[in-house]
Amino acid sequence: DTEVTQTPKHLVMGMTNKKSLKCEQHMGHRAMYWYKQKAKKPPELMFVYSYEKLSINESVPSRFSPECPNSSLLNLHLHALQPEDSALYLCASSQRTSGYNEQFFGPGTRLTVL
Amino acid sequence: SQQGEEDPQALSIQEGENATMNCSYKTSINNLQWYRQNSGRGLVHLILIRSNEREKHSGRLRVTLDTSKKSSSLLITASRAADTASYFCATDGETSGSRLTFGEGTQLTVNP
């Protein structure tokens, strides 16, 4: 299995809702990432997990809460989001945590915050 | 902040022509990668070139790297309509750990 899967594909939520995005990979990769991407812009790194521990948090607001339950799964818990948080949220994984660092991306979750 | 800049921002060519995209970066790198993204989808890794390499080929793709100028180029030969996508360069810096820094991207349109 050489793919990263993400669910759901689309999500519409109100500003008072709590929802979660899920990501899964079965390639034995030791690093997993969350990115946020706005239209016509490059992905912006949000979080990095290395060996199931949070290693990078790019000063992301606390309304985004990542979780890595095991080496194959990565969640992003969402609470009290703002309309400007509407974006494509991408999960990625890589075999290594530094150096040679090809990343494999999932198809993304298109999030709309009303 | 993004350290990569890509040039051009948008490129429109006819099928069969070659497409060249350029990327510049600011800091020392371990490697530079190119990714492709179809509209609204995830990114697909195309090719990685290490800092001690100058040129690399993969099928119709040719990547060059000039570390003295801190720049790279991606050439797609004999383009096809299916090559229509956004192309991003990404650098893995010597001090950035697992952090990739993406360029602003080039939107390539190949007209049939």
Side-chain angles (χ1 to χ4, degrees), chain A residues 6-13 21 34-41 78 85-90 107-113, chain B residues 37-42:
Chain A
Q6 289 187 244
T7 56
K9 290 184 179 178
H10 301 276
L11 178 63
V12 179
M13 58 187 291
L21 309 184
W34 279 116
Y35 290 88
K36 173 183 177 180
Q37 186 179 27
K38 301 285 261 186
K40 299 188 187 300
K41 301 297 283 184
L78 314 173
D85 296 321
S86 298
L88 181 67
Y89 287 84
L90 295 164
T109 293
R110 174 72 60 189
L111 174 68
T112 302
V113 181
Chain B
Q37 184 177 34
N38 287 78
S39 180
R41 305 293 302 276

Side-chain angles (χ1 to χ4, degrees), chain B:
Chain B
S1 63
Q2 300 294 330
Q3 72 158 343
E5 295 180 3
E6 291 183 64
D7 157 46
Q9 290 187 337
L11 179 61
S12 182
I13 60 174
Q14 295 300 121
E15 219 167 16
E17 293 180 341
N18 295 342
T20 300
M21 290 160 268
N22 302 297
C23 167
S24 62
Y25 56 92
K26 295 188 174 73
T27 62
S28 297
I29 61 171
N30 289 318
N31 62 68
L32 185 143
Q33 305 176 41
W34 286 89
Y35 287 83
R36 164 198 167 125
Q37 184 177 34
N38 287 78
S39 180
R41 305 293 302 276
L43 280 74
V44 175
H45 181 266
L46 295 177
I47 197 166
L48 179 150
I49 186 165
R50 298 178 191 268
S51 60
N52 62 354
E53 297 176 312
R54 292 297 166 258
E55 187 170 315
K56 203 161 183 179
H57 297 254
S58 177
R60 293 185 295 114
L61 305 180
R62 172 178 169 252
V63 169
T64 62
L65 179 65
D66 187 335
T67 52
S68 67
K69 295 182 180 177
K70 291 187 167 57
S71 67
S72 172
S73 67
L74 171 68
L75 168 67
I76 304 174
T77 60
S79 63
R80 305 165 182 167
D83 294 328
T84 295
S86 292
Y87 292 82
F88 294 95
C89 67
T91 52
D92 180 352
E94 289 182 342
T95 58
S96 63
S98 51
R99 184 186 282 107
L100 278 183
T101 302
F102 285 86
E104 291 296 312
T106 294
Q107 171 61 50
L108 173 66
T109 302
V110 181
N111 301 299

